[in-house]
Amino acid sequence: MFNNKKNSNSYMESGKSQNRISHGTTIDGDVVSEGGFRIDGTINGTLKTSAKVVIGKDGKVEGTLDCNNADIEGVFSGKLLVQGLLTLKSTAHITGEVTTQKLAVEPGATFNASCTMEPGSNPMNNSKKEKSV
């Protein structure tokens, strides 16, 4: 009678919570979480999560960001490590060093960074390598 399937983001499907850094909030230091983040304030330091991070238009991160996926509309400066997809919206301003598997850049985004694109750990790719050796 009831369908338990809901249209939700991956952080909700895995039972992880969504964290929000609101406009006007500044965090100085390191943050580690299993849940996703929506940043409309400022983080100065390191943010590490196994989930998705969204930096809103008013959001600003200076330091290191290590996450699964990221959508950036605001400002990022520092070292950005994204295991999956990094999406830069038209209002994004990125400076520093970027490592990601996939990159999508909308027209208008500012991207002044060194960028390394590395494949993620894909079991299908690993099994093919083992068979060919």
Side-chain angles (χ1 to χ4, degrees):
M1 182 171 173
F2 293 101
N3 186 354
N4 288 332
K5 292 182 181 180
K6 295 180 182 178
N7 185 9
S8 62
N9 293 332
S10 62
Y11 61 85
M12 294 301 279
E13 290 170 0
S14 61
K16 296 177 184 173
S17 63
Q18 175 72 14
N19 299 289
R20 184 173 179 118
I21 310 299
S22 298
H23 181 75
T25 300
T26 299
I27 295 177
D28 292 316
D30 299 340
V31 178
V32 178
S33 176
E34 291 295 318
F37 278 85
R38 167 73 191 202
I39 302 167
D40 292 308
T42 302
I43 294 180
N44 298 311
T46 300
L47 172 59
K48 184 171 184 172
T49 179
S50 58
K52 183 176 183 177
V53 174
V54 176
I55 301 176
K57 284 185 182 181
D58 296 327
K60 183 176 181 181
V61 175
E62 289 188 24
T64 301
L65 174 57
D66 186 349
C67 62
N68 188 29
N69 294 305
D71 288 349
I72 301 179
E73 296 178 82
V75 177
F76 178 86
S77 177
K79 189 172 186 177
L80 181 56
L81 306 165
V82 180
Q83 303 301 315
L85 174 63
L86 170 60
T87 303
L88 305 180
K89 303 296 186 180
S90 62
T91 54
H93 295 276
I94 309 299
T95 57
E97 185 179 329
V98 175
T99 302
T100 186
Q101 182 179 358
K102 299 175 188 172
L103 177 64
V105 182
E106 289 185 359
T110 303
F111 188 72
N112 293 317
S114 63
C115 183
T116 303
M117 296 183 72
E118 299 177 351
S121 60
N122 184 338
M124 293 299 288
N125 289 341
N126 292 339
S127 64
K128 288 179 185 176
K129 288 179 185 176
E130 290 173 7
K131 289 179 182 178
S132 64
V133 174

